[in-house]
């Protein structure tokens, strides 16, 4: 159920509404918008009456939300969610780029690429320390040692670090280093992990599962928000289709659909989306053109030597030339860059 209150409603009036929602273990979630206060009530709400809420002081409207996702919806919050990383904001009309190699591989490898990306003005640096791989024989990441190297990179270059949490067992270690915790495509429906990252306040980068519908993605995000963490960024990273010419099919349809239905920022990952180096740049441009709030791009100083996803990683030179093109495109689609 969604209760809409006047921005001028008193703390007491808000507290009364939340008190009334306390039946059958229902929980209430409050969002202060620019012109209204929204209170989302989740759980077994059947025993609650819409009419009772409408009569309460400070309440403008009350309604049942029949969708399977509520807190992530535009009905709950009309304004875009903006996440602030010490002044570098995501979702506020600035196009943000998360760049870096697929994995942390060694101190030399990670410092080499980090230094080059810093020079290009990149603020958000990605690299996986825990790598959930399709094959158990593939490189699984440097794990704790990889996180230590990421902490060193952060200290040296001042990036906001994006790195993946693979399971609940190792989440606490990732929380120590990450400014944004990635939940990868393979874990999009790992509900225990989603609940756990919902209980912290670190922003979450939630990648769409490779066989997940857009609504599945919304419901996974809802798991995180319903636990109290509203700092969620969604990511379209390609889905499995019958097409075999590319690694995945980047579903850019998802971007305007997500923008319409949720207030959460949406990034596009053309690297995993198409999976072939020379085709990453055009799909990155397409991602910007269709309204993404940002891009995630894999860049490696020596892609031919990469331990994971070298085939789709851009060289620093290719990445630099892509940034130049994005700079020209961004203002045409009303994005600051
Ligand atoms: C990655 O970002 O390197 C990754 C493994 O992504 P995905 O979860 O989208 O496959
Ligand atoms: Mn990768």
């Amino acid at each position: 159920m969604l209760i809409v209150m006047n921005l001028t409603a008193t703390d007491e009036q808000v507290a009364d509404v939340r008190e009334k929602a306390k039946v059958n273990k229902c929980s209430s979630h409050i969002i202060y918008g620019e012109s209204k206060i929204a209170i989302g009530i989740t759980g077994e709400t059947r025993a609650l009456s819409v009419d009772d809420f409408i009569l309460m002081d400070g309440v403008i409207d009350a309604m049942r939300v029949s969708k399977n996702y509520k807190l992530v919806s535009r009905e709950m919050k009309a304004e875009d969610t903006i996440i602030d990383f010490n002044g570098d904001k995501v979702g506020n009309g600035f196009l943000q780029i998360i760049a870096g190699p697929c994995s942390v591989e060694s101190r030399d490898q990670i410092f080499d690429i980090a230094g080059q990306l810093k020079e290009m003005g990149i603020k958000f640096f990605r690299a996986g320390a825990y790598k959930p791989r399709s094959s158990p024989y593939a490189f699984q990441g440097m794990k704790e040692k990889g996180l230590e190297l990421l902490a060193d990179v952060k200290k040296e270059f001042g990036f906001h670090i994006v790195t993946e949490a693979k399971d609940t067992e190792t989440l606490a270690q990732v929380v120590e280093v990450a400014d944004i915790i990635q939940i990868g495509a393979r874990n999009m429906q790992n509900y225990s992990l989603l609940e756990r990252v919902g209980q912290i306040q670190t922003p979450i980068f939630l990648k769409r599962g490779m066989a997940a519908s857009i609504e599945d993605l919304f419901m996974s995000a809802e798991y995180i928000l319903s636990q109290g963490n509203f700092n969620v960024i969604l990511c379209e990273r390609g889905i499995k289709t019958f097409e075999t010419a590319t690694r995945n099919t980047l579903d850019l349809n998802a971007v305007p659909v997500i923008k319409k239905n949720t207030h959460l920022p949406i990034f596009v990952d053309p690297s995993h989306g198409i999976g072939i180096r020379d085709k990453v740049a055009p799909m990155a441009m397409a991602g910007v053109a269709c309204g993404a709030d940002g891009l995630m791009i894999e860049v490696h100083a020596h892609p031919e030597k990469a331990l994971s996803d070298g085939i789709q990683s851009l060289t620093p030179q290719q990445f630099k030339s892509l940034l130049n093109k994005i700079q020209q495109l961004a203002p045409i689609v009303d994005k600051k860059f």
Side-chain angles (χ1 to χ4, degrees):
M1 190 179 288
L2 174 63
I3 316 293
V4 184
M5 297 188 75
N6 257 316
L7 207 48
T8 53
T10 64
D11 290 349
E12 208 182 356
Q13 289 167 344
V14 170
D16 285 348
V17 165
R18 300 188 79 175
E19 191 56 39
K20 195 169 194 60
K22 278 189 190 159
V23 293
N24 294 342
K25 294 193 191 143
C26 283
S27 28
S28 61
H29 313 261
I30 186 158
I31 296 184
Y32 289 90
E34 276 163 25
S35 58
K36 292 177 289 198
I37 301 171
I39 300 177
I41 305 172
T42 55
E44 197 42 74
T45 60
R46 262 177 304 183
L48 294 171
S49 145
V50 166
D51 292 342
D52 286 354
F53 283 103
I54 287 179
L55 293 173
M56 293 180 80
D57 290 338
V59 172
I60 303 170
D61 203 0
M63 67 209 80
R64 290 198 183 276
V65 183
S66 56
K67 287 177 180 159
N68 291 323
Y69 57 92
K70 302 176 199 297
L71 302 176
V72 307
S73 72
R74 281 270 181 210
E75 283 99 325
M76 177 69 189
K77 182 168 177 265
E79 299 99 26
D80 290 340
T81 286
I82 297 170
I83 308 178
D84 190 347
F85 298 87
N86 296 327
D88 299 320
K89 293 182 182 159
V90 164
N92 72 335
F94 269 87
L95 185 76
Q96 295 291 5
I97 312 282
I98 301 171
C102 183
S103 305
V104 185
E105 300 169 7
S106 68
R107 175 172 285 273
D108 286 351
Q109 171 255 5
I110 205 79
F111 271 76
D112 183 0
I113 190 62
Q116 296 193 55
L117 291 173
K118 181 75 188 178
E119 271 187 21
M120 295 180 209
I122 291 302
K123 308 239 171 77
F124 294 83
F125 183 78
R126 67 146 287 152
Y130 289 96
K131 297 298 304 176
R133 304 299 301 283
S134 298
S135 165
Y137 306 115
F139 175 59
Q140 303 286 315
M142 288 183 77
K143 305 186 172 137
E144 294 98 311
K145 183 71 200 151
L147 288 177
E148 282 168 28
L149 291 174
L150 280 175
D152 291 348
V153 161
K154 181 169 163 175
K155 214 169 174 187
E156 175 79 20
F157 301 104
F159 289 122
H160 311 296
I161 299 288
V162 186
T163 196
E164 178 156 0
K166 182 169 140 289
D167 47 41
T168 51
E169 288 78 3
T170 52
L171 175 62
Q173 300 162 22
V174 175
V175 170
E176 290 295 308
V177 179
D179 297 292
I180 300 180
I181 297 174
Q182 172 169 319
I183 301 295
R186 290 159 188 78
N187 262 324
M188 191 205 83
Q189 288 176 311
N190 179 339
Y191 300 118
S192 321
L193 185 57
L194 296 177
E195 281 176 357
R196 285 283 297 281
V197 297
Q199 290 154 7
I200 55 178
Q201 286 303 311
T202 308
I204 305 302
F205 193 81
L206 180 64
K207 299 187 89 173
R208 180 180 178 184
M210 49 196 93
S213 69
I214 297 170
E215 195 185 51
D216 291 335
L217 175 63
F218 291 163
M219 290 189 286
S220 289
E222 186 81 13
Y223 267 88
I224 304 173
L225 271 71
S226 65
Q227 292 292 319
N229 188 352
F230 277 65
N231 303 311
V232 175
I233 301 165
L234 304 176
C235 178
E236 164 57 39
R237 49 76 72 204
I239 52 174
K240 296 261 185 218
T241 64
F242 52 79
E243 185 53 69
T244 54
T246 54
R247 179 180 179 185
N248 289 298
T249 297
L250 188 65
D251 178 18
L252 291 180
N253 293 351
V255 176
V257 173
I258 287 169
K259 282 269 142 213
K260 169 105 198 329
N261 288 288
T262 88
H263 50 85
L264 299 173
I266 167 75
F267 274 48
V268 165
D269 169 357
S271 304
H272 294 84
I274 195 153
I276 309 162
R277 185 177 313 127
D278 65 341
K279 296 168 187 70
V280 168
M283 296 317 288
M285 300 287 276
V288 175
C290 70
D293 295 291
L295 300 172
M296 170 177 266
I297 298 179
E298 288 186 338
V299 191
H300 196 290
H302 305 284
E304 70 289 351
K305 292 190 192 144
L307 298 182
S308 61
D309 288 349
I311 222 161
Q312 66 195 31
S313 298
L314 298 187
T315 63
Q317 292 75 11
Q318 286 172 324
F319 180 63
K320 199 171 178 181
S321 112
L322 172 60
L323 289 180
N324 286 333
K325 287 190 194 143
I326 291 173
Q327 194 150 28
Q328 294 170 49
L329 174 61
I332 297 171
V333 290
D334 294 330
K335 281 279 182 326
K336 297 180 214 76
F337 183 64

